[in-house]
Amino acid sequence: MRRAILKGAASAALLFCGVVAQAEKYPKIAEPVSFAPTADHAGDAGALVWVNKPGSAKGIKKVIIPFFQVQFVVDSDTSAVAGNASSKMMVKLVGPTSDQMQAITDRLYARLLSDLAAAGLDVVDARQARGYANFAKLQDGGKPSGSKIDGHEGVNSLFFAPSGMTFYFLPTQDIAYTGAGSFGGFSTAMLPPREQALMEESGAAVLGFRAVVDFASLTNNNKRSPFRMLRSKAKTSAEAGIAIRPIATQLWLMTPQAKPGVTDMQNRMRFEVQAPLLIDTDAITAMTDARTGGDKTSETFGNALGMLLGGGSSKKRKYDIHVDQAVWERDVEAALQGVETMLMTRLKGEL
């Protein structure tokens, strides 16, 4: 009888370990999905939001928010090399203003505060929060809202925080959207300890929100292959489309229950969007060739010289992607509200 009990206990332990391992396994990013800005997206939360440490928000009654960030990609590039040939693609967003981006960020922040309160959570006011030493340190060491940061993999963006707040960076699983490792005076290692110290200092769960709005998808044929240099063509391409990027778009909570694990070594529970959300919008009005006369002359001359010297061709393509300001603001803000709804739906299910 005792052996049977021990065997059952061992099986239960193995099952528990299996559940934990499964919960800690980082999921594969899903295929892009069409995202209607004005739809009610609460029902999409289960399919489109992944939680790394389920159960870690139980009993949370109070939150403090030092981190709220919306990243708007404004220009990006990619390149390819094949043998002696090379190709570069560059795109730039034309139309939206910094004032529009700041207004979207402020309204989204206000919406999050309202939804957290409606969920029964006590949200520490940002002005009162500065009374906590670690909150003040995080804010005083951050960057001004609206700063442009040249990022990894050619992705350059404007970063916004709510008016009166600064922003800083946290690493994500998607290196293109980390802000080039710029941490506003902080080292990477110093950020989570200060957030954790803030959790202990305030007696509140530390909450952060981040979203990434992009305007184009770039591709190249730089496949990792030992025969890559034997190919004769280097290809790059660009497709215009307003989108919310996955992984880096997330809501997170630092709580005592969120124990360090495989997917996050800190006490951080993450709710991450797990598919690119292609915003269904008519905001894009044109995609125009942005090469100057000098660009074209330089390319022609360089290719002619390359042929004389036995080298390959070089191509550079530059496009301006124009959007209608009013339509862009309307649909991007509505889509971000849909994302916030999904993240809050998952959070409320964990409280």
Side-chain angles (χ1 to χ4, degrees):
M1 179 70 173
R2 177 177 174 81
R3 180 177 296 177
I5 292 173
L6 290 174
K7 184 177 179 181
S11 298
L14 287 173
L15 178 60
F16 174 77
C17 290
V19 170
V20 170
Q22 184 177 14
E24 282 287 291
K25 184 178 179 181
Y26 205 89
K28 182 179 179 181
I29 299 304
E31 292 296 316
V33 299
S34 178
F35 201 71
T38 57
D40 180 359
H41 289 287
D44 297 324
L48 295 178
V49 177
W50 171 72
V51 182
N52 70 329
K53 299 175 182 179
S56 299
K58 295 297 182 185
I60 294 300
K61 300 297 183 183
K62 180 181 178 182
V63 295
I64 189 167
I65 309 174
F67 182 96
F68 188 98
Q69 181 186 105
V70 182
Q71 174 182 354
F72 296 93
V73 181
V74 292
D75 63 78
S76 54
D77 63 74
T78 190
S79 58
V81 176
N84 292 324
S86 65
S87 176
K88 186 169 186 176
M89 176 66 69
M90 308 170 70
V91 294
K92 180 180 179 181
L93 179 65
V94 177
T97 68
S98 292
D99 287 344
Q100 287 179 297
M101 295 173 186
Q102 184 65 65
I104 289 172
T105 302
D106 287 341
R107 290 191 290 263
L108 187 63
Y109 178 64
R111 179 187 175 95
L112 177 65
L113 295 182
S114 176
D115 287 346
L116 289 169
L121 294 171
D122 178 17
V123 185
V124 179
D125 180 84
R127 289 167 294 184
Q128 295 176 342
R130 288 196 67 89
Y132 296 109
N134 286 286
F135 185 95
K137 289 177 182 178
L138 286 167
Q139 287 297 304
D140 292 344
K143 292 181 176 292
S145 182
S147 297
K148 184 178 181 183
I149 306 296
D150 294 340
H152 290 291
E153 299 183 1
V155 176
N156 307 317
S157 310
L158 290 171
F159 287 80
F160 288 84
S163 294
M165 294 178 66
T166 63
F167 70 92
Y168 54 92
F169 296 101
L170 290 174
T172 77
Q173 294 291 328
D174 193 334
I175 193 171
Y177 300 103
T178 56
S182 299
F183 289 93
F186 293 116
S187 70
T188 307
M190 286 302 295
L191 285 165
R194 284 182 176 170
E195 291 168 340
Q196 191 149 342
L198 176 60
M199 176 181 70
E200 296 165 357
E201 181 185 18
S202 65
V206 178
L207 184 146
F209 178 94
R210 183 162 185 244
V212 181
V213 182
D214 208 343
F215 68 99
S217 296
L218 303 184
T219 58
N220 63 60
N221 67 338
N222 272 347
K223 295 181 180 179
R224 297 184 180 277
S225 165
F227 304 106
R228 186 182 72 183
M229 298 307 293
L230 299 180
R231 296 198 305 267
S232 60
K233 292 184 178 181
K235 297 180 180 179
T236 56
S237 63
E239 183 177 355
I242 312 298
I244 307 294
R245 292 296 176 205
I247 307 178
T249 297
Q250 60 178 259
L251 181 149
W252 54 263
L253 277 174
M254 187 168 277
T255 77
Q257 298 92 331
K259 303 301 182 185
V262 176
T263 59
D264 199 310
M265 296 305 293
Q266 303 299 324
N267 291 62
R268 197 185 308 275
M269 179 186 190
R270 301 204 309 271
F271 300 78
E272 294 186 0
V273 172
Q274 283 299 297
L277 307 178
L278 307 182
I279 301 176
D280 185 4
T281 179
D282 294 322
I284 296 175
T285 58
M287 184 171 175
T288 60
D289 189 343
R291 289 178 300 165
T292 64
D295 291 331
K296 296 174 184 179
T297 299
S298 177
E299 179 178 284
T300 301
F301 177 78
N303 287 336
L305 183 61
M307 292 180 65
L308 288 173
L309 298 177
S313 64
S314 175
K315 294 189 299 183
K316 179 187 284 187
R317 297 291 179 264
K318 296 168 66 176
Y319 291 97
D320 286 342
I321 297 178
H322 302 261
V323 303
D324 181 290
Q325 291 181 342
V327 177
W328 178 89
E329 180 176 354
R330 180 197 69 194
D331 290 348
V332 166
E333 181 167 2
L336 287 171
Q337 290 178 354
V339 169
E340 188 267 351
T341 294
M342 291 194 305
L343 294 171
M344 278 300 305
T345 297
R346 288 302 300 268
L347 173 59
K348 286 187 286 187
E350 292 285 336
L351 296 175

